[in-house]
């Protein structure tokens, strides 16, 4: 069925993310209503057993993050759960990177830069080393550079880690050090 193809699900997912972000930026409830409608549709598709909707958990975390009663701990927990679900399904580097990116950007907008940093570093690492999305890596590096990086004097790196941008990687291609 074309309505439940991976491409159609991606469009629905991306549309919902855009509406959540527009609501976050403007406070206009019409965006929230549209985001929720798309999220509910994807949840129904997932309930019917469609394997193409592993990203629904990201939308559920987005929903939780906009609630006025949500604490930072709740938001972190919601995104951690979404990321765990995606990782458990395996071979979904792009979706895992998107979940980490969303978690980091949402936390950064709340002013929680220390909590945002590991998510953004992980997203950048996945984009660059697992998915090969160099432009996405560079964009995310640029938008988060004001709080993400702590410069290393004259490129000095006493422990011998590889520097990617200025993100430390332990042992070369390992996961970024948090």
């Amino acid at each position: 069925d074309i309505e439940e193809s991976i491409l159609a699900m991606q469009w629905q997912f991306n549309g919902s993310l855009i509406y959540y972000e527009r609501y976050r930026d403007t406070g206009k409830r019409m965006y929230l209503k549209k985001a929720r409608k798309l999220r509910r549709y994807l949840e129904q598709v997932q309930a019917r057993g469609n394997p193409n909707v592993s990203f629904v958990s990201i939308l559920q975390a987005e929903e939780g993050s906009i609630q006025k009663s949500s604490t930072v701990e709740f938001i972190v927990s919601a995104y951690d759960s979404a990321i765990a679900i995606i990782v458990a399904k395996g071979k979904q580097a792009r979706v895992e990177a998107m979940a980490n990116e969303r978690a980091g950007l949402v936390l950064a907008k709340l002013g929680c830069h220390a909590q945002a940093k590991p998510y953004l570093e992980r997203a950048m690492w996945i984009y660059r080393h697992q998915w090969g999305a160099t432009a996405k890596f560079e964009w995310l590096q640029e938008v988060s550079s004001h709080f993400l990086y702590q410069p290393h004097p004259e490129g000095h790196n006493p422990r011998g880690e590889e520097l990617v941008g200025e993100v430390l990687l332990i042992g070369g291609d390992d996961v970024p050090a948090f």
Side-chain angles (χ1 to χ4, degrees):
D1 187 344
I2 193 75
E3 287 185 11
E4 293 185 14
S5 70
I6 185 68
L7 186 57
M9 298 299 99
Q10 281 293 320
W11 278 99
Q12 301 286 329
F13 169 71
N14 289 332
S16 187
L17 276 181
I18 290 167
Y19 286 133
Y20 276 119
E21 192 62 24
R22 294 298 302 147
Y23 172 72
R24 198 176 269 113
D25 289 343
T26 67
K28 293 184 178 178
R29 296 205 41 89
M30 71 176 190
Y31 294 122
L32 181 58
K33 184 177 178 182
K34 290 177 181 185
R36 286 177 170 165
K37 181 179 180 182
L38 292 173
R39 179 185 46 83
R40 281 191 300 270
Y41 171 73
L42 290 170
E43 288 172 338
Q44 291 169 354
V45 170
Q46 184 181 42
R48 290 194 296 268
N50 188 316
N52 297 327
V53 288
S54 60
F55 40 75
V56 168
S57 58
I58 299 171
L59 297 178
Q60 292 165 338
E62 289 283 317
E63 177 71 25
S65 74
I66 62 166
Q67 303 300 318
K68 289 181 175 114
S69 61
S70 293
T71 64
V72 172
E73 292 77 21
F74 174 82
I75 294 168
V76 167
S77 176
Y79 281 105
D80 285 348
S81 295
I83 292 165
I85 289 167
I86 293 162
V87 168
K89 290 186 182 249
K91 297 185 180 182
Q92 297 191 22
R94 184 182 61 81
V95 180
E96 181 186 351
M98 287 176 70
N100 278 283
E101 175 187 344
R102 292 303 311 148
L105 293 176
V106 166
L107 290 166
K109 279 191 172 193
L110 294 173
C112 302
H113 296 155
Q115 285 109 329
K117 184 177 179 178
Y119 293 104
L120 293 170
E121 287 177 338
R122 176 73 180 154
M124 287 190 301
W125 188 86
I126 293 169
Y127 283 138
R128 188 168 205 191
H129 291 284
Q130 288 184 324
W131 198 41
T134 304
K136 183 69 172 181
F137 165 83
E138 290 170 354
W139 173 83
L140 194 53
Q141 187 177 37
E142 183 179 322
V143 300
S144 60
S145 64
H146 66 283
F147 66 86
L148 189 59
Y149 302 118
Q150 297 176 0
H152 299 279
E154 299 178 30
H156 182 65
N157 191 359
R159 296 189 318 193
E161 295 102 342
E162 176 189 357
L163 291 175
V164 176
E166 291 186 20
V167 177
L168 287 177
L169 298 179
I170 298 174
D173 286 335
D174 290 342
V175 177
F178 302 140

